[in-house]
Amino acid sequence: MWFATYEGLYRFDGHTATLFQHDPNDPAHTLPSNAITALHEDRKGRLWVGTPICLVQVDKQTGKATMHRPDSTQAIGWDVIKAIVEDEQGILWLGMSKGIARFDPDTKQFGFYPTPNGGGIFRLQQDDSGRLWTGHYQFHPTTGDFVPFEFTTKEGPLSPFCFSIDTTGIVWVGTYGEGLFQMDTRAPG
């Protein structure tokens, strides 16, 4: 099992916990930061780690880190990774400091989709139609469009803190003090 913490990345084998951290004496092969902000194991068994600095692939046996940074001036400020979701094609979608980034693990290429308000994406889930949900937007990967929406009740808009989409297409929304709510992603409007 793997655990993301602000102290580094822990691997627990059932008996021993091993901590992987940034090593200033070996910066090319260790985590660039001890703050782990996202964690995902892809369908090929590769471990992906989000940090405040870049996307990192970690070798699960050795702990060796391989950093993935875009090589474009377009990517300035696109460094903090808060969420990682994998689509059916194996593409990684990253919730980042300025919007959503697309990363192809095979070609190592990034694509960037800034949010309409320039804000960061801290939560990301994909529904069964392929749309990405952020808490304030639906993102359509095929078009690159952000569609704003609000979780609302008859009392007004909610402030989503966390959410999850279940296998039936229901979004479960945890809020800042307003309770737990649900919304059907398959229902029109």
Side-chain angles (χ1 to χ4, degrees):
M1 288 196 282
W2 294 89
F3 299 92
T5 74
Y6 284 105
E7 296 176 5
L9 181 66
Y10 281 92
R11 179 181 64 204
F12 181 65
D13 64 7
H15 303 286
T16 305
T18 303
L19 176 62
F20 298 96
Q21 292 182 307
H22 173 71
D23 180 351
N25 296 317
D26 190 14
H29 300 105
T30 61
L31 294 168
S33 169
N34 290 336
I36 308 303
T37 53
L39 190 59
H40 176 75
E41 183 176 4
D42 71 16
R43 66 186 73 230
K44 293 183 178 179
R46 298 174 291 199
L47 187 64
W48 298 96
V49 175
T51 73
I53 297 171
C54 66
L55 179 66
V56 181
Q57 184 180 350
V58 174
D59 182 297
K60 293 190 299 186
Q61 300 305 313
T62 67
K64 178 183 172 188
T66 303
M67 288 173 265
H68 297 280
R69 291 186 171 118
D71 58 356
S72 166
T73 56
Q74 175 191 8
I76 293 173
W78 287 80
D79 41 15
V80 179
I81 298 170
K82 292 289 191 174
I84 304 171
V85 171
E86 180 182 9
D87 69 17
E88 289 184 4
Q89 291 76 38
I91 300 298
L92 299 181
W93 295 92
L94 313 172
M96 299 186 74
S97 50
K98 289 187 174 183
I100 294 176
R102 177 189 188 277
F103 178 74
D104 185 327
D106 296 325
T107 66
K108 312 296 187 247
Q109 296 296 306
F110 284 87
F112 300 97
Y113 304 89
T115 57
N117 69 0
I121 301 295
F122 303 101
R123 292 164 288 284
L124 199 57
Q125 292 272 311
Q126 187 172 42
D127 66 21
D128 59 2
S129 71
R131 293 174 299 187
L132 296 170
W133 295 74
T134 72
H136 296 287
Y137 298 102
Q138 289 178 35
F139 176 73
H140 298 265
T142 54
T143 64
D145 293 333
F146 283 89
V147 177
F149 75 95
E150 289 185 333
F151 290 110
T152 58
T153 66
K154 58 186 170 192
E155 287 82 27
L158 302 174
S159 300
F161 176 71
C162 59
F163 65 96
S164 181
I165 302 174
D166 70 20
T167 57
T168 66
I170 301 296
V171 178
W172 293 89
V173 183
T175 64
Y176 289 106
E178 291 122 343
L180 179 67
F181 295 86
Q182 64 179 353
M183 181 182 83
D184 190 343
T185 63
R186 298 174 187 170

